[in-house]
Amino acid sequence: MRMKEMVRRTGVHERLLRYYEQQGLLTPGRLPSGYRVYGESDVETVRRIRCLLAAGLSTALIAQVLPCIRANDENLVPTCPDLLTQLRREDERITGTIEDLQASRAILHTIIAAAPSEDAGTLRPPQPAAAEAG
């Protein structure tokens, strides 16, 4: 199938399909004219890529793990023993990021809570101190 059909089947924009190709995630065939030609398996590959991106993996890591992932109904299943170690590391990384964001959010909530009540009107930024004459 050609690019437009691939876009229609996967819902992924042409630019992203080209990007996936640049990253080594997708390898469509080429016609003598240079046009890309995708197979049925490429549709499934794009679905796997999208799922792994949604899980928070980088395209560099996806390139490593994609050969070790198979589809089982709606789920992706790891097939290589060392893949679980990589996925657990990613889970730890994401957990750390979530914890950092929660800490940032708590600080922000503290700052917001310290503001005067909304009935007092809008907050104005502090005015710079007048320069002292010397």
Side-chain angles (χ1 to χ4, degrees), residues 71-90:
N72 183 12
D73 296 324
E74 295 292 317
N75 298 316
L76 296 182
V77 179
T79 59
C80 301
D82 61 330
L83 178 58
L84 285 177
T85 301
Q86 287 180 294
L87 294 177
R88 285 186 179 114
R89 272 197 302 263
E90 279 303 298

Side-chain angles (χ1 to χ4, degrees), residues 90-105:
E90 279 303 298
D91 182 56
E92 290 170 5
R93 181 191 63 78
I94 290 170
T95 299
T97 300
I98 290 169
E99 289 168 355
D100 291 345
L101 286 170
Q102 287 174 331
S104 296
R105 185 177 183 202

